């Protein structure tokens, strides 16, 4: 196991971040994952990084703050805290986020406090967020089990067993196996994703039409000069990195005002430590005009009300229903994994998925139809019977997805 963890950490540092000699590295990690964070720090120093800055987090302390903190703190972010994100990102530090949220950490917390807090932090660290979205620095999100999360995924076994099972699931999904070199596995995987990207970009679809038996019936217009992406990405100075490990998706951004119809979620979503389930959005000219949910409706409503752009879509992503993560049959209650098991959309901020997108400012991207928001939340819509038709500029109708999987 020790060997496997070292391989995993080295994958995150070498492929996820592609750390360069002399580059600072930030590791954001829950205190519960400190052992693994240390292995990552060691790998970062081995790769020649200048210094590792730690950003420790803790779900339980965060929960206490929401329950017991003074009310006014939810509308502000201390200057020193904002300075950390804004100044370190300006240095071009490589940013590793270990994302291992307890899906139920915020049960019973006032959703309005969460909403106000996301608005305040969205504004305070906007320079950092913009640099991240524009790939000014390399960044990678990966996960490590925590006891609370493992028990949510495997409620029927002991905590130790649950931890072990979640580790296995994470390492399998990340292609870290006993007798193989994960760095090599990732090169092959990323080149497969690049081939899909190439085909989609060649079709240069005007729009995509989604239909399935849940009731989804949605048309999504793609921007002029849009660009599908997937697998590895490039920083503005041309270094490859992999923003999510694992990743199975190819993705693009819709035209902000070009989405119409109704879409049903196919998996639950965890928003800020609260579960939302069996929900649907009705959209008109891109705007979410109606929301339904059997569980967690108030959390979903708060999330799309954070700012103007939060009620528009920012991402359209294609993932085969038979992806390895989907095959595991597990519901991870963690977007990093669940999004890679299913076609998904996101409400909120769009990535600069345009041919010349990397050099454009947020204002220029908005003019070209890409949504802006402090929110970016993926939700899953893939089903085994999902059909997606791509309509070309000259009106040809090309099957993109048939029965939940790529048609080409
Ligand atoms: Zn995605
Ligand atoms: Zn996303």
């Amino acid at each position: 196991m020790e060997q496997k963890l070292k391989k995993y950490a080295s994958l995150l540092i070498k492929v996820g971040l592609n750390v360069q000699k002399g580059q600072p590295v930030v590791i954001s990690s829950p205190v519960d994952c400190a052992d693994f964070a240390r292995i990552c720090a060691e790998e970062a120093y081995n790769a020649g990084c200048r210094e590792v800055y730690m950003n420790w987090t803790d779900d339980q302390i965060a929960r206490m703050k929401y329950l017991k903190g003074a009310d006014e703190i939810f509308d502000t972010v201390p200057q020193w805290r904002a300075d950390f994100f804004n100044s370190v990102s300006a240095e071009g530090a490589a940013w590793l986020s270990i994302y291992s949220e307890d899906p139920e950490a915020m049960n019973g917390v006032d959703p309005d406090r969460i909403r106000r807090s996301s608005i305040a932090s969205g504004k305070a660290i906007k320079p950092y967020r913009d640099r991240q979205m524009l790939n000014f620095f390399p960044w990678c999100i990966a996960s490590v089990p925590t006891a609370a999360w493992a028990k949510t995924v495997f409620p029927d076994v002991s905590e130790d067993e649950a931890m072990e099972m979640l580790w296995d699931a994470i390492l399998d999904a990340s292609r870290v196996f006993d007798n193989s070199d994960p760095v090599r596995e990732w090169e092959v995987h990323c080149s497969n994703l690049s081939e899909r990207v190439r085909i989609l970009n060649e079709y240069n679809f005007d729009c995509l039409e989604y239909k399935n038996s849940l009731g989804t019936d949605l048309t999504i217009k793609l921007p002029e000069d849009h660009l599908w992406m997937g697998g590895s990405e490039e920083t503005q100075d041309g270094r490859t990195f992999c923003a999510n490990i694992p990743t199975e998706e190819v993705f693009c951004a819709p035209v902000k005002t070009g989405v119409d119809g109704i879409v049903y979620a196919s998996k639950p979503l965890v928003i800020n430590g609260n579960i939302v389930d069996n929900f649907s959005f009705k959209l008109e000219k891109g705007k979410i005009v109606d929301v339904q949910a059997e569980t967690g409706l108030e959390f979903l409503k708060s999330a799309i009300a954070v700012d103007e752009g939060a009620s528009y879509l920012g991402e359209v992503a294609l993932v085969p229903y038979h992806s390895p993560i989907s095959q595991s049959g597990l519901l991870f209650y963690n977007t990093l994994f669940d999004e890679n098991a299913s076609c998904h959309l996101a409400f909120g901020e769009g990535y600069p998925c345009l041919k010349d997108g990397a050099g454009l400012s947020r204002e220029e991207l908005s003019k070209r139809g890409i949504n802006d928001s402090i929110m970016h939340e993926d939700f899953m819509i893939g089903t085994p019977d999902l059909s997606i038709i791509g309509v070309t500029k000259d009106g040809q109708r090309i099957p993109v997805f048939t029965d939940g999987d790529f048609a080409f």
Side-chain angles (χ1 to χ4, degrees), residues 214 263-270 275-281 291-297 300 331 379-380:
L214 279 181
V263 61
Y264 285 82
S266 57
K267 282 174 194 276
L269 167 65
V270 178
I275 294 175
V276 180
D277 202 5
N278 290 323
F279 61 99
S280 64
F281 291 129
V291 195
Q292 303 287 336
E294 276 175 28
T295 310
L297 180 62
L300 192 55
L331 186 59
F379 61 98
M380 315 320 150

Side-chain angles (χ1 to χ4, degrees), residues 249 315 339 344 346 351 376-378:
E249 66 173 356
E315 178 185 353
E339 74 157 342
H344 56 272
Y351 294 103
H376 176 99
E377 194 66 53
D378 289 4

Side-chain angles (χ1 to χ4, degrees), residues 244 247 249-251 315-319 335 339-340 342 344-346 351 376 378-380:
N244 287 179
T247 181
E249 66 173 356
V250 296
F251 64 94
E315 178 185 353
V316 38
L318 304 176
V319 180
T335 300
E339 74 157 342
N340 283 307
S342 172
H344 56 272
L345 303 171
Y351 294 103
H376 176 99
D378 289 4
F379 61 98
M380 315 320 150

